[in-house]
Amino acid sequence: MQVIKQDQVQEKITIIRNQKIIIDADVAKLYGVETKRINEAVKNNPDKFPDSYLFELNKKEWDSLKSKFSTSIKGGKVKLPTAFTEKGLYMLATILKSQTATETTLAIIETFTKVRELGHVITQMQTLPENSPKQKSLMEHTGDLIADLIVPEDELEVTGTETTYEMNFAIFKIKRTIKKSK
């Protein structure tokens, strides 16, 4: 069984209609099932999926998403994809029953929690005086969150010295150094 990692979930999250979502095909990939199985679970449990839990993308949203991710437009979907919001993904987790579903659900929950926390920390950091101890502490926490989301600890190359990565956001730049010994 392949364990789903947070970075695999993070790369599938996109924003549509001002909501963080994952489309049905990507949800299916995370759970290791066919897309039609995800959509069947929704169809068989309509009372568990109100409008705020999922929605069907319109053609313009789907075209935009395909071009953003260089998705092939030859063949493929006849039906427009379903977008699962965070709440919809949690509800889906109550329906899908398997060890893979449990592991995937845990990765999804952890990822959404860290993305939400990252947003809160960035917002809070902007209100603090530059180079204040609290801002420095929040920057370090931001680096930890980003490292968890993007660079899983078990994939860092251990050289006995340090690993450095830089991320440049529109608002600020983070330079993070992680020191590990063999």
Side-chain angles (χ1 to χ4, degrees):
M1 176 181 79
Q2 178 190 358
V3 177
I4 301 296
K5 297 181 181 178
Q6 290 178 27
D7 62 324
Q8 292 171 287
V9 176
Q10 172 63 28
E11 68 189 17
K12 297 194 181 320
I13 297 173
T14 190
I15 298 176
I16 295 182
R17 300 183 195 173
N18 294 319
Q19 296 186 70
K20 291 180 184 79
I21 61 100
I22 301 178
I23 62 168
D24 56 3
D26 287 339
V27 172
K29 284 178 190 169
L30 289 170
Y31 280 102
V33 298
E34 295 177 34
T35 305
K36 68 181 181 180
R37 298 294 172 230
I38 296 296
N39 290 322
E40 283 173 0
V42 171
K43 184 180 177 185
N44 294 335
N45 297 277
D47 54 320
K48 293 187 176 190
F49 294 96
D51 291 342
S52 64
Y53 284 47
L54 55 81
F55 55 88
E56 188 175 290
L57 298 182
N58 62 41
K59 183 165 176 22
K60 183 177 177 185
E61 290 166 334
W62 179 228
D63 288 344
S64 171
L65 196 59
K66 286 192 296 187
S67 67
K68 180 178 178 183
F69 294 109
S70 302
T71 304
S72 170
I73 56 174
K74 296 177 185 170
K77 284 194 166 284
V78 174
K79 177 187 171 294
L80 291 169
T82 300
F84 284 85
T85 66
E86 183 176 357
K87 293 185 281 186
L89 290 164
Y90 294 157
M91 186 56 72
L92 184 63
T94 68
I95 297 169
L96 302 175
K97 306 289 184 208
S98 72
Q99 185 61 37
T100 302
T102 300
E103 295 294 327
T104 300
T105 299
L106 292 172
I108 289 170
I109 290 170
E110 289 296 321
T111 302
F112 270 100
T113 300
K114 286 185 177 166
V115 167
R116 188 173 29 259
E117 185 178 353
L118 182 61
H120 290 303
V121 170
I122 290 171
T123 301
Q124 189 179 8
M125 209 168 29
Q126 292 173 340
T127 64
L128 297 172
E130 195 163 329
N131 294 323
S132 68
K134 179 74 174 172
Q135 186 188 44
K136 287 179 182 179
S137 171
L138 286 175
M139 285 193 74
E140 185 173 314
H141 184 60
T142 299
D144 291 340
L145 289 170
I146 291 170
D148 287 347
L149 287 167
I150 298 174
V151 186
E153 190 172 316
D154 61 339
E155 291 180 13
L156 290 175
E157 183 179 326
V158 179
T159 63
T161 57
E162 63 187 40
T163 301
T164 302
Y165 60 93
E166 273 188 45
M167 305 188 87
N168 201 350
F169 291 90
I171 308 168
F172 63 94
K173 181 178 179 179
I174 293 176
K175 183 174 183 178
R176 178 91 169 126
T177 301
I178 300 171
K179 295 183 180 184
K180 293 179 74 175
S181 58
K182 290 186 177 180

